[in-house]
């Protein structure tokens, strides 16, 4: 059986030794366990295809960049599931993904982003969607709190930097024209 670790880690331990398989690595093991989902089966099939293709054509399937990309993908997936959590932090993400914090930070910087910039941008995008959905009934301070901004002024400053207007201006334009942007 082959497992491609995309988040967390797999720990194999015996009395004499232990081994950890981190995101971006393929673990091939002998077991009778079945796969839980179709997506896991497709992921394993893709991993095996990449592994065997690399063997046939002389490419190395486990380049350091592959590990970096897998760590960032796993981190982004974890972030998406936990965007509303007040406890979401780079350390929490690294622990869940199964890589050291500094490794995760370097992996994000390779993708021209930082962990916190990605989190902030995704929270702002969700806040933007809330504003659009709620329209005139939206309360900016409630949306700021829902998406874990320290206060409304931080939210307003970041919103304006990303969207070019304050949330209040955005709402006025939404009410006046129907669909801003």
């Amino acid at each position: 059986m082959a497992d491609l670790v995309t988040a967390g880690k797999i720990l194999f331990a015996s009395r004499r030794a232990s081994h950890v398989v981190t995101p971006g690595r393929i673990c091939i093991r002998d077991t009778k366990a079945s796969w839980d989902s179709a997506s896991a089966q497709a992921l394993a099939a893709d991993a095996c295809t990449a592994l065997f293709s690399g063997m046939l054509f002389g490419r190395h399937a486990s380049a350091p960049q592959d590990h970096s990309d897998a760590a960032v993908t796993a981190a982004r997936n974890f972030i998406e599931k936990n965007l509303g959590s007040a406890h979401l932090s780079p350390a929490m993400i690294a622990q869940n993904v199964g890589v050291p914090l500094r490794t995760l930070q370097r992996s994000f910087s390779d993708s021209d982003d930082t962990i916190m910039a990605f989190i902030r941008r995704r929270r702002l995008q969700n806040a933007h969607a809330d504003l659009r959905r709620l329209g005139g009934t939206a309360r900016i301070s409630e949306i700021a709190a829902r998406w874990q901004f320290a206060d409304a002024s931080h939210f307003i400053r970041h919103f304006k930097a990303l969207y070019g207007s304050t949330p209040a201006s955005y709402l006025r334009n939404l009410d006046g024209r129907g669909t801003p942007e």
Side-chain angles (χ1 to χ4, degrees), residues 58-112:
R59 293 187 306 260
H60 296 286
S62 183
Q65 185 61 38
D66 296 340
H67 179 70
S68 175
D69 291 346
V72 169
T73 299
R76 286 181 175 161
N77 290 338
F78 181 78
I79 290 166
E80 290 296 331
K81 291 177 186 169
N82 295 280
L83 267 178
S85 171
H87 304 293
L88 188 61
S89 69
M92 175 191 202
I93 297 162
Q95 181 179 9
N96 178 271
V97 171
V99 297
L101 176 58
R102 185 65 191 122
T103 299
L104 186 61
Q105 289 169 332
R106 274 193 304 271
S107 297
F108 262 84
S109 68
D110 289 345
S111 68
D112 295 326

